[in-house]
Amino acid sequence: MENGLIIELKGVSKSFAIGGGREFLALKGIDLEIHQGEFTGLVGPSGSGKTTLLNLMGALDNATEGSVRVLGRNVESFSHTEAAHFRKESIGFIFQSFNLLPVYTVFENVEFPLLVAGVAAEERKKTVTQALEWVGLLDKMYSRPTQLSGGESQRVAVARAIVKKPRIILADEPTANLDAENSHNILRTMVKLNQQLGTTFVFSTHDQKVIDYLRRKITLVDGRLFKDEALTPKLAGNDK
Amino acid sequence: MRTLLLLALKNVRGAGLRTWLNVATLSFGFVTIVWMQGIYEGMMRQMVTAQIDTEYGGGQFWHKAFDPFDPLSFEDAHGEPGDALKKLVAEKKATPILLRTGAIFPNGRAQSVVLRGIEPTQEIVQIPGGVLLREGEALPGLIGKRMAEATGLKKGDTVTIRWRDVSGTFDATDVEVVEVMNIAVPGLDAGQLWLPLRTLRRLIGSAEATTLFVTEKGYVESHIEDPNFVWKNNDFLLSEERAIFESKKAFGYILYVILMAMGLLAVFDTQVLSIFRRRREIGTLMALGVTRSEVVGLFTLEGSLHGVLALFAGALWGIPILAHAAKIGIGLPKMSDNMGIAIGARLYASYAPQVLVVTLCVLLCSVVVVSFLPARRIAKMRPTDAIRGKG
């Protein structure tokens, strides 16, 4: 990884079969580099390919053409099992609809990635407590997802994403189901994580509130990289 | 594996009522199937024991002309044994039985009977022959409860019997019923009149006539060569009863399949529904680094846990019921005599450990298979679709 380059896409295209032998080209020849510690957003209207691109970076899907290198590894050559191991070790995900596991408590939800990674019980307890402290949810440790507000649920999802201290966190529309206040709370937490832990964040969003926090904005239109610009965040992690 | 098991346990616990409904259905199936197996096993064991104790002993030597299914053969199916069989009788390792057809006339009606001559002092089979030692004006005769009910005879009644001697001449005399015995084997009771062997031999005019010899229990086949008698071991003697028993058991298998299908359908249904409803969760698990095969394993384990929980639940409420069936038994109605096999007034369930282990293994394996089949679908899901609750 040259100069902290952790995500590198070259000539990436992705198409989906849409029936009747036809195909929909979601991404067209994307070239992109993302470096360690970036706070980057993939911005664009619905159907522009943001989530598809995020899925490729997260080894959840394979490109039809081109190469996707994440943390120095060719993601598109992974088998299902290799991709799963890669995600387990290196990537944290935050989803639009939180995707918390409903029968688990907040603690168990956050503990889950560590359980899958085979971390010892003592270490798990310590790390989960730390992550919940980060997102300010220590008092909700034993609550179930159904007992949480939208903002709290998304903070649990953030804690779950950061608990294993991944190098990259991919967040797909993380504020789409949140009100303004909760959105700002979540984003401030992410900025703090980015600054203090050096975690790279890549967002897929069209929410202006998210864009206000970004340091780099990559605009996608119709599956093509339309604009790649550096930003000065209007809002910082500690700002109210 | 430990992680998957922990997760599966949490999911099963978290599913609440759905889990307990499945567990209840499965445990009902499990206990009923084990109970049924126990009843059939008990039935078989009681039948074999009763047949051996009262009729077959350790096996029989039959007169070569004897055919138990052809009463007409009884007229000629008797003869004198060779020295080896005589020696066996002298050593009290076998007892002779003489069978003849005849008729009795209770309340003025004629009824065919089989006259059975038995040595009153014999101890080979559990027939209370000792009562036949009584002396009186009429000959002493012994009948069973079924025979008493069918003819209206009771202890102390006198009835006229008619028979033919070895020359084919009819003769008749009176027999007093000295005892009405309770015997499990219908074939030794219904239509049977027991007389002292020596008396019956005298009546037919043949001092050494014997239709068959019953050997003592545990008799080791010694290949006695006799010109008139052939050896029949218990495998042969019990084959008819076993065939009847197997035909009865077929009904049990049908019930077995119905009960199993009921329980397994509940698990299958829950699995299908669970996979459909939890697609988003499946996608999340995959995103968090759980492999597809691990997710399939997780859902299979969850389904299988229903089976394991059902075993525990079944043990909790089922063991007292199963123990009751084994110790106190089940009272049988009189019409159960018509089943054609010797069971007795009460049926005691018997649980052979091997049968129990095999049954429970089959049940558990079926639950695992039924849990796995719908879970295979997960392996075809795309993580990106599953995360959005599609696919």
Side-chain angles (χ1 to χ4, degrees):
Chain A
M1 282 174 288
E2 224 176 303
N3 303 324
L5 179 64
I6 57 171
I7 299 174
E8 184 183 21
L9 286 84
K10 279 188 184 162
V12 169
S13 296
K14 174 71 185 173
S15 59
F16 296 101
I18 51 170
R22 289 178 303 153
E23 289 200 330
F24 169 69
L25 204 53
L27 292 175
K28 298 158 195 167
I30 302 283
D31 294 312
L32 182 64
E33 289 183 352
I34 294 175
H35 293 80
Q36 177 72 43
E38 281 194 21
F39 204 77
T40 300
L42 304 173
V43 180
S46 293
S48 59
K50 308 185 291 292
T51 301
T52 306
L53 196 53
L54 217 58
N55 288 339
L56 295 181
M57 291 176 188
L60 284 171
D61 209 348
N62 289 325
T64 313
E65 271 178 43
S67 80
V68 180
R69 284 178 70 80
V70 181
L71 296 168
R73 300 178 68 185
N74 276 323
V75 170
E76 76 272 6
S77 63
F78 283 162
S79 66
H80 290 304
T81 308
E82 284 170 334
H85 287 308
F86 179 72
R87 290 193 294 269
K88 179 168 70 184
E89 285 156 13
S90 313
I91 312 278
F93 286 94
I94 298 169
F95 304 102
Q96 177 180 339
S97 44
F98 326 131
N99 288 38
L100 299 181
L101 303 171
V103 298
Y104 299 171
T105 62
V106 165
F107 183 92
E108 288 166 342
N109 261 287
V110 179
E111 184 191 26
F112 188 84
L114 301 177
L115 209 58
V116 174
V119 176
E122 195 63 28
E123 177 70 16
R124 283 204 308 266
K125 196 177 169 190
K126 200 176 109 191
T127 318
V128 171
T129 309
Q130 215 171 40
L132 286 173
E133 209 175 342
W134 261 86
V135 296
L137 277 177
L138 266 179
D139 56 329
K140 299 277 182 182
M141 195 184 275
Y142 301 111
S143 302
R144 300 214 174 250
T146 47
Q147 299 167 309
L148 302 176
S149 67
E152 286 169 337
S153 295
Q154 195 60 299
R155 274 149 69 196
V156 177
V158 172
R160 184 177 64 184
I162 61 163
V163 74
K164 59 185 179 188
K165 297 189 174 63
R167 305 270 303 274
I168 304 165
I169 289 182
L170 304 173
D172 188 11
E173 308 271 11
T175 55
N177 287 328
L178 300 180
D179 57 28
E181 189 188 345
N182 276 313
S183 296
H184 285 297
N185 284 338
I186 287 291
L187 287 160
R188 275 197 294 272
T189 307
M190 290 178 179
V191 170
K192 196 167 76 174
L193 288 168
N194 171 254
Q195 288 170 350
Q196 297 189 8
L197 301 179
T199 310
T200 305
F201 277 82
V202 182
F203 295 88
S204 139
T205 187
H206 52 251
D207 183 351
Q208 188 55 46
K209 294 189 290 295
V210 178
I211 297 168
D212 288 344
Y213 285 83
L214 298 177
R215 294 202 299 274
R216 181 182 176 193
K217 185 171 99 173
I218 297 160
T219 308
L220 295 171
V221 178
D222 292 336
R224 291 185 193 281
L225 205 155
F226 177 73
K227 198 195 264 184
D228 187 352
E229 54 194 318
L231 300 176
T232 306
K234 292 177 188 163
L235 298 167
N238 296 328
D239 295 342
K240 192 79 187 166
Chain B
M1 185 65 192
R2 193 170 159 268
T3 308
L4 284 185
L5 186 63
L6 280 173
L7 296 178
L9 278 170
K10 279 181 182 175
N11 284 335
V12 166
R13 196 186 61 192
L17 187 63
R18 254 185 308 142
T19 294
W20 294 116
L21 280 174
N22 277 340
V23 168
T25 315
L26 272 177
S27 76
F28 174 74
F30 282 8
V31 172
T32 314
I33 286 167
V34 170
W35 178 82
M36 247 166 43
Q37 296 265 346
I39 290 293
Y40 279 114
E41 186 68 26
M43 199 186 279
M44 183 72 182
R45 187 170 287 195
Q46 273 176 247
M47 179 204 74
V48 169
T49 306
Q51 293 285 165
I52 286 174
D53 287 350
T54 56
E55 190 173 12
Y56 298 147
Q60 297 180 337
F61 287 96
W62 284 7
H63 187 271
K64 59 190 177 189
F66 175 56
D67 177 358
F69 299 108
D70 178 13
L72 294 176
S73 74
F74 295 2
E75 298 304 300
D76 301 320
H78 56 83
E80 290 188 21
D83 289 342
L85 276 175
K86 280 182 182 169
K87 186 168 172 262
L88 215 57
V89 174
E91 289 170 350
K92 295 191 181 303
K93 288 181 176 172
T95 188
I97 306 271
L98 173 61
L99 272 67
R100 296 288 289 186
T101 52
I104 60 169
F105 300 89
N107 304 315
R109 288 181 289 114
Q111 189 175 331
S112 297
V113 289
V114 173
L115 304 172
R116 284 182 176 260
I118 187 171
E119 192 63 61
T121 55
Q122 65 78 33
E123 290 175 349
I124 304 279
V125 287
Q126 289 174 7
I127 298 290
V131 296
L132 297 171
L133 288 169
R134 213 200 67 168
E135 303 230 341
E137 278 185 30
L139 298 174
L142 173 66
I143 59 171
K145 274 169 103 174
R146 298 173 186 85
M147 176 71 165
E149 276 171 25
T151 56
L153 290 172
K154 55 187 184 298
K155 186 177 174 181
D157 283 356
T158 301
V159 65
T160 301
I161 66 166
R162 190 187 67 179
W163 73 94
R164 288 206 309 183
D165 65 15
V166 289
S167 315
T169 310
F170 281 105
D171 203 347
T173 189
D174 283 344
V175 167
E176 183 189 343
V177 177
V178 293
E179 187 63 71
V180 175
M181 63 178 170
N182 190 3
I183 189 167
V185 181
L188 300 180
D189 181 338
Q192 313 291 312
L193 174 61
W194 295 78
L195 298 168
L197 178 65
R198 191 176 295 180
T199 304
L200 186 56
R201 281 174 171 169
R202 182 169 52 79
L203 295 180
I204 67 164
S206 176
E208 293 289 328
T210 303
T211 306
L212 56 93
F213 291 89
V214 183
T215 61
E216 65 180 353
K217 262 202 287 185
Y219 173 73
V220 180
E221 193 177 340
S222 57
H223 301 291
I224 289 174
E225 293 292 335
D226 192 290
N228 289 328
F229 290 87
V230 287
W231 170 246
K232 304 286 180 188
N233 65 19
N234 277 345
D235 282 343
F236 171 81
L237 294 170
L238 286 163
S239 59
E240 201 60 34
E241 284 83 2
R242 285 204 168 105
I244 295 171
F245 178 76
E246 286 303 321
S247 70
K248 310 273 179 213
K249 216 174 167 182
F251 173 72
Y253 285 127
I254 295 169
L255 213 60
Y256 187 118
V257 169
I258 292 171
L259 285 166
M260 271 304 283
M262 204 169 73
L264 295 179
L265 201 67
V267 176
F268 189 84
D269 189 48
T270 304
Q271 287 289 87
V272 171
L273 196 70
S274 185
I275 289 162
F276 180 76
R277 285 173 50 167
R278 291 165 63 191
R279 281 170 302 180
R280 194 184 291 272
E281 185 184 329
I282 291 167
T284 308
L285 293 175
M286 289 176 178
L288 293 176
V290 182
T291 62
R292 286 179 186 197
S293 53
E294 283 171 340
V295 182
V296 172
L298 175 68
F299 275 74
T300 306
L301 210 52
E302 281 180 28
S304 307
L305 277 174
H306 289 130
V308 176
L309 285 174
L311 271 190
F312 284 115
L316 208 65
W317 69 265
I319 285 177
I321 293 172
L322 299 175
H324 182 276
K327 281 197 169 176
I328 314 292
I330 300 161
L332 295 175
K334 280 184 183 172
M335 64 182 289
S336 62
D337 272 353
N338 297 334
M339 286 175 78
I341 49 177
I343 299 172
R346 293 195 81 76
L347 173 57
Y348 299 91
S350 169
Y351 311 103
Q354 316 92 290
V355 176
L356 206 62
V357 169
V358 169
T359 304
L360 293 179
C361 284
V362 168
L363 293 175
L364 270 184
C365 289
S366 309
V367 174
V368 173
V369 170
V370 161
S371 305
F372 170 71
L373 291 177
R376 282 181 314 168
R377 198 172 152 252
I378 294 167
K380 292 176 190 157
M381 280 186 186
R382 286 157 46 95
T384 48
D385 289 337
I387 287 166
R388 288 179 293 152
K390 294 180 179 174

